[in-house]
Amino acid sequence: MCLIWMPKAEAIPPGIMIRTPRTTSIALRPSKDQTSGRSTVTTDGVHMIAPDFFARPSSEVAADLIGVTMLFNGAGGAIVETEAYHGQDPASHSYRGRTPRNGAMFGPPGHVYVYRSYGIHWCLNFVCLPGSAVLIRALQPDVDLEAMRERRGEVALRLLCSGPGRLTEALGITGAHDGLSLFEPPFALHPRTAEVMLEIGTRIGITKAVDENLRFGAKASPFLSKKFPATV
């Protein structure tokens, strides 16, 4: 069975995707061409993601974030893996409503929700529509490798930011950054400038809504936290 990703289709309810037991792959154009109005140019001529990019269903945003460059205090790289979560999703922190812990998920789109997983690792999420967010699972480290290696040690490059906990450790992101805007320092987001092949599959490490295809990744990237199953 093939999965067709249609981010513009109004008939698809927010955050809901067709189910399939396997993965598929599609091509995404450069984001500044693909989503007109969802990128802007600063006064110095640098392309930046605009706020309305996030005012959409999390599944759309999660797909469109692949290939986008994320920087935190000047360090980072291209996002290569994401997962979408929404308010009707039993695997989402927002499923049972707002709490002191998940409050940022109900705030304005384009802010961050940072939580601690199993009391050990910090996880970075980008807030979309109220009660929905995108977990940033992995990125390809490109910028300021020295700073990231100071925090992570001399690990292999492909393992530097491959996984939510490794990513936040490498960038120095903690719960102190919960609720910050993605459009102000220390964050910066730059649209992808080249076509990427997108893989779509089920999310990792959850026990509810396990069949939903809400995980997205750059096809065959060595920086993924986990390989996708064989595509169809």
Side-chain angles (χ1 to χ4, degrees):
M1 181 185 298
C2 291
L3 170 69
I4 301 175
W5 173 237
M6 299 176 292
K8 302 299 181 184
E10 296 296 328
I12 300 177
I16 303 299
M17 303 224 10
I18 303 169
R19 293 183 180 183
T20 178
R22 291 179 149 189
T23 60
T24 190
S25 60
I26 63 170
L28 292 177
R29 297 186 298 275
S31 50
K32 62 189 176 68
D33 298 323
Q34 179 188 13
T35 51
S36 178
R38 292 199 177 105
S39 66
T40 186
V41 180
T42 62
T43 53
D44 60 1
V46 178
H47 284 286
M48 302 288 285
I49 293 290
D52 67 343
F53 179 94
F54 292 97
R56 299 181 289 152
S58 57
S59 54
E60 295 183 12
V61 176
D64 285 344
L65 278 170
I66 302 302
V68 168
T69 294
M70 179 190 78
L71 301 178
F72 181 80
N73 282 327
I79 296 170
V80 297
E81 186 183 353
T82 60
E83 288 180 347
Y85 293 85
H86 58 89
Q88 291 73 49
D89 174 7
S92 174
H93 287 181
S94 63
Y95 183 63
R96 298 189 182 279
R98 184 168 185 161
T99 68
R101 181 197 191 201
N102 69 15
M105 287 189 76
F106 295 86
H111 286 64
V112 300
Y113 166 46
V114 182
Y115 68 88
R116 179 161 265 171
S117 178
Y118 300 108
I120 302 173
H121 304 296
W122 296 107
C123 295
L124 173 67
N125 302 260
F126 294 173
V127 177
C128 303
L129 295 176
S132 66
V134 175
L135 171 65
I136 309 303
R137 287 199 58 88
L139 60 77
Q140 176 177 330
D142 294 315
V143 184
D144 200 355
L145 294 176
E146 182 178 354
M148 287 188 276
R149 281 196 161 122
E150 283 182 4
R151 301 185 187 100
R152 289 274 293 125
E154 290 300 321
V155 300
L157 182 63
R158 66 180 181 82
L159 299 177
L160 197 58
C161 299
S162 64
R166 291 170 176 170
L167 184 154
T168 54
E169 183 181 10
L171 296 178
I173 294 173
T174 71
H177 304 109
D178 183 45
L180 293 185
S181 172
L182 286 164
F183 309 108
E184 299 174 0
F187 288 97
L189 295 174
H190 302 276
R192 61 174 172 269
T193 57
E195 182 176 280
V196 298
M197 290 297 297
L198 181 69
E199 291 190 292
I200 306 170
T202 55
R203 295 171 294 186
I204 297 172
I206 58 173
T207 59
K208 300 177 181 179
V210 295
D211 293 328
E212 296 288 350
N213 286 282
L214 294 173
R215 178 181 172 228
F216 305 85
K219 185 176 177 64
S221 170
F223 301 97
L224 296 173
S225 65
K226 184 179 180 180
K227 292 182 179 179
F228 284 78
T231 57
V232 294

